[in-house]
Amino acid sequence: MSLSMSVTEREAFLAALHVGVVSIARPDRGPLTVPIWYDYTPGETVWMITNENSIKGRLLQGVSRISLCAQTEAPPYQYVSVEGPYSIEPSTDSALLAMAQRYLGEEMGKAYAAGAGDESGSVIVRLQPEHWLTVDYGKR
């Protein structure tokens, strides 16, 4: 029996609330692999917000593809990993608010976005999933 998820299952899993782990290649070391908030609507791009002057933001200037993994941390273990090209666009206050509320809830999300909204250099990174790896140990 295959432990792989169907297209519908993997897209639903990726759309659910998980902290993602983004990986970005570095020229002189192993890839930068760090947690990140993300959002996904099935059939669309995965989007994240970072600062263009952060380590992630600076590394993005030198690569054409990135990876993101989302997982459960309790049995039965599941994960979805996507890899592909990405694009960068300026972030907006509404995007920051939406992401903060996704992870923190309405009130805490508003407070977070209000405090972070003054930071300049925030960008939206849109990952186009081209390659998927999935496992669902619940299928055993």
Side-chain angles (χ1 to χ4, degrees):
M1 167 178 264
S2 173
L3 299 179
S4 295
M5 294 181 194
S6 69
V7 170
T8 301
E9 290 169 334
R10 74 187 189 193
E11 288 190 339
F13 183 89
L14 192 59
L17 185 63
H18 303 281
V19 173
V21 177
V22 65
S23 290
I24 306 168
R26 290 191 275 201
D28 56 343
R29 298 166 61 181
L32 175 71
T33 304
V34 292
I36 194 165
W37 293 350
Y38 76 91
D39 200 357
Y40 174 70
T41 299
E44 296 183 9
T45 60
V46 178
W47 66 278
M48 305 156 265
I49 298 175
T50 194
N51 190 289
E52 63 187 349
N53 298 313
S54 68
I55 295 171
K56 291 185 296 288
R58 291 191 312 269
L59 287 172
L60 287 168
Q61 302 306 313
V63 299
S64 61
R65 304 176 76 82
I66 59 176
S67 298
L68 179 93
C69 182
Q71 67 181 20
T72 59
E73 296 191 13
Y77 298 107
Q78 300 170 298
Y79 75 81
V80 169
S81 179
V82 293
E83 180 269 332
Y86 68 92
S87 62
I88 298 175
E89 61 194 59
S91 186
T92 63
D93 291 342
S94 62
L96 176 61
L97 177 61
M99 188 68 76
Q101 288 182 321
R102 172 175 163 79
Y103 281 89
L104 301 174
E106 187 173 346
E107 292 307 312
M108 287 180 60
K110 283 180 185 176
Y112 178 91
D118 296 335
E119 294 181 22
S120 63
S122 286
V123 294
I124 294 174
V125 179
R126 292 192 181 276
L127 165 61
Q128 180 62 55
E130 285 187 349
H131 301 282
W132 296 72
L133 294 173
T134 67
V135 168
D136 180 355
Y137 285 104
K139 293 184 174 191
R140 275 202 156 150

mmCIF file of all heavy atoms in Angstrom, residues 6 16 26 29 48 53 59 78 111 117 123 127-130:
data_model
loop_
_atom_site.group_PDB
_atom_site.id
_atom_site.type_symbol
_atom_site.label_atom_id
_atom_site.label_comp_id
_atom_site.label_asym_id
_atom_site.label_seq_id
_atom_site.Cartn_x
_atom_site.Cartn_y
_atom_site.Cartn_z
ATOM 1 N N SER A 6 -2.941 11.590 -2.343
ATOM 2 C CA SER A 6 -3.492 11.955 -3.646
ATOM 3 C C SER A 6 -3.317 13.463 -3.834
ATOM 4 O O SER A 6 -2.976 14.196 -2.892
ATOM 5 C CB SER A 6 -4.976 11.600 -3.710
ATOM 6 O OG SER A 6 -5.715 12.457 -2.840
ATOM 7 N N ALA A 16 -3.920 23.414 5.096
ATOM 8 C CA ALA A 16 -4.211 23.434 6.533
ATOM 9 C C ALA A 16 -3.125 24.218 7.276
ATOM 10 O O ALA A 16 -2.062 24.503 6.729
ATOM 11 C CB ALA A 16 -4.302 22.010 7.065
ATOM 12 N N ARG A 26 22.405 27.960 -0.403
ATOM 13 C CA ARG A 26 23.479 28.919 -0.113
ATOM 14 C C ARG A 26 24.706 28.478 -0.897
ATOM 15 O O ARG A 26 24.968 27.280 -1.026
ATOM 16 C CB ARG A 26 23.831 28.924 1.376
ATOM 17 C CG ARG A 26 22.766 29.509 2.247
ATOM 18 C CD ARG A 26 23.282 29.726 3.639
ATOM 19 N NE ARG A 26 23.159 28.503 4.430
ATOM 20 C CZ ARG A 26 23.156 28.486 5.764
ATOM 21 N NH1 ARG A 26 23.294 29.612 6.435
ATOM 22 N NH2 ARG A 26 23.040 27.360 6.412
ATOM 23 N N ARG A 29 27.572 26.918 1.902
ATOM 24 C CA ARG A 29 27.191 26.019 2.995
ATOM 25 C C ARG A 29 25.986 25.199 2.552
ATOM 26 O O ARG A 29 25.498 25.359 1.442
ATOM 27 C CB ARG A 29 26.828 26.842 4.234
ATOM 28 C CG ARG A 29 27.982 27.667 4.757
ATOM 29 C CD ARG A 29 27.572 28.709 5.740
ATOM 30 N NE ARG A 29 26.940 28.159 6.925
ATOM 31 C CZ ARG A 29 26.483 28.895 7.912
ATOM 32 N NH1 ARG A 29 26.581 30.198 7.867
ATOM 33 N NH2 ARG A 29 25.919 28.345 8.954
ATOM 34 N N MET A 48 4.535 33.346 1.320
ATOM 35 C CA MET A 48 5.172 33.615 2.602
ATOM 36 C C MET A 48 5.567 35.083 2.613
ATOM 37 O O MET A 48 5.697 35.687 1.552
ATOM 38 C CB MET A 48 6.439 32.766 2.757
ATOM 39 C CG MET A 48 6.219 31.283 2.588
ATOM 40 S SD MET A 48 7.723 30.406 2.076
ATOM 41 C CE MET A 48 7.484 30.376 0.303
ATOM 42 N N ASN A 53 15.838 42.166 3.443
ATOM 43 C CA ASN A 53 17.166 42.334 4.040
ATOM 44 C C ASN A 53 17.518 41.231 5.036
ATOM 45 O O ASN A 53 18.609 41.230 5.595
ATOM 46 C CB ASN A 53 17.267 43.698 4.713
ATOM 47 C CG ASN A 53 17.098 44.814 3.702
ATOM 48 O OD1 ASN A 53 17.700 44.793 2.642
ATOM 49 N ND2 ASN A 53 16.251 45.772 4.025
ATOM 50 N N LEU A 59 19.352 35.666 0.429
ATOM 51 C CA LEU A 59 19.642 34.430 -0.303
ATOM 52 C C LEU A 59 18.721 34.255 -1.507
ATOM 53 O O LEU A 59 19.126 33.688 -2.525
ATOM 54 C CB LEU A 59 19.530 33.215 0.619
ATOM 55 C CG LEU A 59 20.656 33.044 1.627
ATOM 56 C CD1 LEU A 59 20.331 31.925 2.602
ATOM 57 C CD2 LEU A 59 21.977 32.779 0.919
ATOM 58 N N GLN A 78 2.486 12.830 8.995
ATOM 59 C CA GLN A 78 2.217 13.193 7.606
ATOM 60 C C GLN A 78 3.146 14.342 7.245
ATOM 61 O O GLN A 78 3.489 15.147 8.110
ATOM 62 C CB GLN A 78 0.783 13.687 7.420
ATOM 63 C CG GLN A 78 -0.286 12.692 7.787
ATOM 64 C CD GLN A 78 -1.648 13.353 7.792
ATOM 65 O OE1 GLN A 78 -1.902 14.272 8.550
ATOM 66 N NE2 GLN A 78 -2.533 12.885 6.932
ATOM 67 N N ALA A 111 -2.801 42.745 16.582
ATOM 68 C CA ALA A 111 -1.731 43.362 17.372
ATOM 69 C C ALA A 111 -0.366 43.115 16.732
ATOM 70 O O ALA A 111 0.463 44.025 16.652
ATOM 71 C CB ALA A 111 -1.761 42.827 18.803
ATOM 72 N N GLY A 117 3.858 46.286 11.046
ATOM 73 C CA GLY A 117 3.507 46.979 9.819
ATOM 74 C C GLY A 117 4.428 48.119 9.454
ATOM 75 O O GLY A 117 4.461 48.554 8.306
ATOM 76 N N VAL A 123 8.486 41.586 1.837
ATOM 77 C CA VAL A 123 8.109 41.101 0.520
ATOM 78 C C VAL A 123 7.301 39.817 0.653
ATOM 79 O O VAL A 123 7.427 39.088 1.632
ATOM 80 C CB VAL A 123 9.341 40.846 -0.385
ATOM 81 C CG1 VAL A 123 10.058 42.142 -0.716
ATOM 82 C CG2 VAL A 123 10.302 39.843 0.251
ATOM 83 N N LEU A 127 5.797 30.779 -4.088
ATOM 84 C CA LEU A 127 6.391 29.532 -4.569
ATOM 85 C C LEU A 127 5.376 28.796 -5.439
ATOM 86 O O LEU A 127 4.255 28.533 -5.000
ATOM 87 C CB LEU A 127 6.801 28.663 -3.375
ATOM 88 C CG LEU A 127 7.123 27.194 -3.603
ATOM 89 C CD1 LEU A 127 8.295 27.015 -4.548
ATOM 90 C CD2 LEU A 127 7.381 26.503 -2.281
ATOM 91 N N GLN A 128 5.776 28.466 -6.652
ATOM 92 C CA GLN A 128 4.924 27.683 -7.561
ATOM 93 C C GLN A 128 5.294 26.207 -7.417
ATOM 94 O O GLN A 128 6.349 25.796 -7.899
ATOM 95 C CB GLN A 128 5.132 28.125 -9.012
ATOM 96 C CG GLN A 128 4.289 27.352 -10.011
ATOM 97 C CD GLN A 128 2.801 27.531 -9.774
ATOM 98 O OE1 GLN A 128 2.304 28.644 -9.733
ATOM 99 N NE2 GLN A 128 2.101 26.431 -9.598
ATOM 100 N N PRO A 129 4.488 25.406 -6.724
ATOM 101 C CA PRO A 129 4.850 23.995 -6.535
ATOM 102 C C PRO A 129 4.919 23.242 -7.859
ATOM 103 O O PRO A 129 3.945 23.183 -8.594
ATOM 104 C CB PRO A 129 3.713 23.439 -5.675
ATOM 105 C CG PRO A 129 3.080 24.623 -5.030
ATOM 106 C CD PRO A 129 3.229 25.732 -6.035
ATOM 107 N N GLU A 130 6.088 22.714 -8.159
ATOM 108 C CA GLU A 130 6.266 21.884 -9.353
ATOM 109 C C GLU A 130 6.515 20.433 -8.989
ATOM 110 O O GLU A 130 6.115 19.533 -9.710
ATOM 111 C CB GLU A 130 7.425 22.402 -10.207
ATOM 112 C CG GLU A 130 7.097 23.653 -10.968
ATOM 113 C CD GLU A 130 8.190 24.057 -11.945
ATOM 114 O OE1 GLU A 130 9.310 23.490 -11.893
ATOM 115 O OE2 GLU A 130 7.924 24.962 -12.755
#
